[in-house]
Amino acid sequence: MDALDPQVNIPFAEVLYKQPTFLQAVYDSLSEQGVIVMQLGDAPYISDPHDTIGRHENRAIITSHLLRMGFQSVHVYEEKHSDFDESWTYLVAMKDYTSRSLWYSNAAEIEVAIHKRIKHTHSGKSPLRFFDGATMMTYQTPHKAFEVVYCRNIPMPAGCDEATHGFSKSRPNAPVSSFEVKASQVGDHAGRGVFAKIDIPKGAHIGVEQSMNSINVASTTYDIALSLAEEYDLPDLDAALEYLWGYGFESNLYGETSVVVDSTILTFVNHGCNGTYNAATVTSTVTEMTTGVDEFDEAFFMNDPYNLVVARHLPHNQNSGDVALRDIKAGEEILNNYLDFTTDEENWKEDVRDLRNQCLGTGVGAITDIERGGLASMKVWREGK
């Protein structure tokens, strides 16, 4: 949508941007997977005040309207090739959260999409002068000035406090060397567990110095692996998927489900039954015993549709490691709430049942089951297809 610059101070601009009627009509006219792209005027400078109190007030109002209407993923980027005197700001708003997976496609995927969808010219040359897959990758992370200006809002938005990035000296960190692997104490179902070798204060990060080394399996890669595993019997691929299912956790930070595996001994951290977990990144208030299999809270697992701090630090937000929820004494086992790692309703039902059985002593974890000679989860998965 190319309308008047939001900074233009004329009556029609006020009707267009300050009143929600037009934008609501646009939202209602879009399909469930609809996307709107609109220009928001010149890009912010790092010294600018927050949009709500500066000359970019209409930009703040537009964003607020779009979020209130229900757009589930909103992105901003700047472009220097719009033939204006300044770099120009553009906004992309998506009605469906999973559409953001397209925004975060890698350069090769974007090049393939361009090849399939772009109209060919008579000369055979590309009609795109300034855009390709590598250019799109630069749009995915907002400019630093966007984040700085965003964080000047009052009250300060979530995530703007430096300590939440995980690298502030004001927040202690218990390095991976502060832990060891021993037989778990949570029950016969658990196998190995991770134990603290030192006292860890409440609020301390756990192994944050190694968090950037996590193994990340993108949603497209994961989907291809599942498709191949469903069609063919490939032992090496089965082993890789068993590893992902046994030690990884799901993330929908990039839209579709991807899988993340901690690359350190912290991958052996077990589930804390009945709310006994003492470490988490962000945690819900439910346990395997207090929730129902049909009580999946989609909103809890849906990320903030517009948070420029998160948008600029996505890898860290996905792999930032846990925080001690209380003081942890040397010798205590580190425990998570595994329900926090389930991002879709189908897996939620299965995970609640499995964790409940394990905590009641009537079931064991997938890795323990395999190591004891039980059926590999790949075989169970295929039989369920």
Side-chain angles (χ1 to χ4, degrees), residues 203-221:
H205 283 287
I206 295 178
V208 73
E209 83 285 356
Q210 291 291 330
S211 62
M212 72 292 297
N213 296 325
S214 295
I215 300 167
N216 295 276
V217 181
S219 59
T220 48
T221 303

Side-chain angles (χ1 to χ4, degrees), residues 132-290:
D132 58 14
T135 304
M136 181 63 204
M137 298 287 285
T138 67
Y139 294 163
Q140 293 172 357
T141 302
H143 192 278
K144 177 68 173 178
F146 282 114
E147 179 186 15
V148 172
V149 172
Y150 169 82
C151 285
R152 289 195 173 120
N153 196 11
I154 300 174
M156 182 184 292
C160 290
D161 180 4
E162 183 186 3
T164 63
H165 292 343
F167 299 105
S168 173
K169 293 181 179 179
S170 64
R171 184 186 289 270
N173 173 54
V176 173
S177 59
S178 305
F179 304 93
E180 60 182 342
V181 177
K182 299 189 296 185
S184 177
Q185 296 177 352
V186 300
D188 185 54
H189 64 275
R192 290 171 288 272
V194 176
F195 294 79
K197 296 195 293 184
I198 63 172
D199 291 343
I200 301 172
K202 178 180 178 180
H205 283 287
I206 295 178
V208 73
E209 83 285 356
Q210 291 291 330
S211 62
M212 72 292 297
N213 296 325
S214 295
I215 300 167
N216 295 276
V217 181
S219 59
T220 48
T221 303
Y222 186 50
D223 288 343
I224 292 171
L226 291 177
S227 298
L228 290 173
E230 186 174 353
E231 189 170 354
Y232 304 104
D233 185 6
L234 303 172
D236 289 345
L237 179 59
D238 286 0
L241 286 171
E242 292 280 5
Y243 167 68
L244 294 180
W245 291 349
Y247 291 109
F249 63 88
E250 295 178 348
S251 170
N252 65 353
L253 189 59
Y254 291 90
E256 299 284 0
T257 299
S258 60
V259 180
V260 183
V261 186
D262 195 305
S263 60
T264 72
I265 62 172
L266 295 177
T267 195
F268 297 115
V269 170
N270 281 310
H271 173 70
C273 294
N274 297 306
T276 58
Y277 49 89
N278 53 20
T281 302
V282 57
T283 187
S284 61
T285 58
V286 300
T287 74
E288 73 289 334
M289 295 302 182
T290 62

Side-chain angles (χ1 to χ4, degrees), residues 47-363:
S47 58
D48 285 349
H50 189 264
D51 287 349
T52 54
I53 59 174
R55 68 186 186 89
H56 297 296
E57 179 189 17
N58 283 346
R59 184 154 66 198
I61 293 173
I62 294 167
T63 306
S64 177
H65 284 331
L66 295 175
L67 295 173
R68 189 163 52 250
M69 289 168 190
F71 282 97
Q72 295 184 357
S73 189
V74 179
H75 310 265
V76 291
Y77 69 95
E78 69 175 65
E79 172 57 61
K80 299 179 180 178
H81 298 99
S82 299
D83 206 21
F84 297 115
D85 293 335
E86 306 278 352
S87 294
W88 221 246
T89 299
Y90 296 86
L91 177 145
V92 180
M94 306 171 182
K95 286 186 73 172
D96 185 81
Y97 182 81
T98 59
S99 296
R100 67 191 271 122
S101 62
L102 299 175
W103 180 259
Y104 291 114
S105 298
N106 64 44
E109 291 171 323
I110 296 165
E111 293 286 359
V112 170
I114 291 173
H115 178 75
K116 288 181 177 179
R117 299 174 61 183
I118 200 76
K119 288 186 176 295
H120 295 281
T121 62
H122 291 292
S123 67
K125 296 180 179 179
S126 173
L128 303 176
R129 294 181 59 195
F130 302 112
F131 184 81
D132 58 14
T135 304
M136 181 63 204
M137 298 287 285
T138 67
Y139 294 163
Q140 293 172 357
T141 302
H143 192 278
K144 177 68 173 178
F146 282 114
E147 179 186 15
V148 172
V149 172
Y150 169 82
C151 285
R152 289 195 173 120
N153 196 11
I154 300 174
M156 182 184 292
C160 290
D161 180 4
E162 183 186 3
T164 63
H165 292 343
F167 299 105
S168 173
K169 293 181 179 179
S170 64
R171 184 186 289 270
N173 173 54
V176 173
S177 59
S178 305
F179 304 93
E180 60 182 342
V181 177
K182 299 189 296 185
S184 177
Q185 296 177 352
V186 300
D188 185 54
H189 64 275
R192 290 171 288 272
V194 176
F195 294 79
K197 296 195 293 184
I198 63 172
D199 291 343
I200 301 172
K202 178 180 178 180
H205 283 287
I206 295 178
V208 73
E209 83 285 356
Q210 291 291 330
S211 62
M212 72 292 297
N213 296 325
S214 295
I215 300 167
N216 295 276
V217 181
S219 59
T220 48
T221 303
Y222 186 50
D223 288 343
I224 292 171
L226 291 177
S227 298
L228 290 173
E230 186 174 353
E231 189 170 354
Y232 304 104
D233 185 6
L234 303 172
D236 289 345
L237 179 59
D238 286 0
L241 286 171
E242 292 280 5
Y243 167 68
L244 294 180
W245 291 349
Y247 291 109
F249 63 88
E250 295 178 348
S251 170
N252 65 353
L253 189 59
Y254 291 90
E256 299 284 0
T257 299
S258 60
V259 180
V260 183
V261 186
D262 195 305
S263 60
T264 72
I265 62 172
L266 295 177
T267 195
F268 297 115
V269 170
N270 281 310
H271 173 70
C273 294
N274 297 306
T276 58
Y277 49 89
N278 53 20
T281 302
V282 57
T283 187
S284 61
T285 58
V286 300
T287 74
E288 73 289 334
M289 295 302 182
T290 62
T291 189
V293 294
D294 296 319
E295 295 178 7
F296 177 71
D297 184 3
E298 184 177 12
F300 176 78
F301 296 99
M302 188 177 296
N303 295 281
D304 190 336
Y306 184 72
N307 185 314
L308 297 184
V309 179
V310 173
R312 276 188 50 80
H313 305 278
L314 280 173
H316 175 71
N317 275 271
Q318 182 168 257
N319 309 317
S320 58
D322 291 330
V323 172
L325 300 178
R326 58 170 175 79
D327 290 340
I328 299 174
K329 297 296 183 182
E332 278 193 69
E333 184 168 1
I334 307 301
L335 301 172
N336 286 154
N337 182 3
Y338 278 15
L339 290 181
D340 294 344
F341 304 142
T342 304
T343 58
D344 67 80
E345 188 169 3
E346 181 180 354
N347 287 342
W348 172 268
K349 294 180 180 180
E350 181 179 345
D351 288 349
V352 170
R353 292 191 187 100
D354 286 348
L355 290 173
R356 188 175 291 172
N357 288 336
Q358 291 176 40
C359 292
L360 291 173
T362 58

